[in-house]
Amino acid sequence: NTVLDRNATIELAIEALSTVCSTDFKATEIEIGVCSIAEEEPVPEGEAKGAGLFRQMSEEERGEWLTRVGEKD
């Protein structure tokens, strides 16, 4: 069994979707949601860390991830 950390999981999800759809997404063309109990996960102001809250990534954050995945290829 392979255990993926947060970064590897997000990268794998983007790579899989991009492969299945045969396209390189732009940050404005994709939505990414994250639900995590990890302490390092950003949470909205006033919310407890590690609470397992669902959040959508901002366009800027999506762009950073898409760039990271694109540079891996």
Side-chain angles (χ1 to χ4, degrees), residues 9-19 30 32 65-66 69:
T9 301
I10 294 170
E11 289 175 4
L12 179 61
I14 292 170
E15 290 169 358
L17 185 61
S18 184
T19 299
I30 189 172
I32 301 173
W65 280 104
L66 291 168
V69 169

Side-chain angles (χ1 to χ4, degrees), residues 42-66:
V43 296
E45 188 175 321
E47 297 290 344
K49 291 260 183 196
L53 300 173
F54 178 85
R55 71 176 185 89
Q56 285 186 294
M57 286 187 184
S58 67
E59 185 176 324
E60 179 180 342
E61 190 176 5
R62 291 189 310 263
E64 292 169 4
W65 280 104
L66 291 168

Side-chain angles (χ1 to χ4, degrees), residues 6-7 10 33-44 48-53 55 57 61 65:
R6 176 184 183 274
N7 292 349
I10 294 170
V34 177
C35 184
S36 175
I37 59 170
E39 291 293 321
E40 67 270 10
E41 185 66 38
V43 296
K49 291 260 183 196
L53 300 173
R55 71 176 185 89
M57 286 187 184
E61 190 176 5
W65 280 104

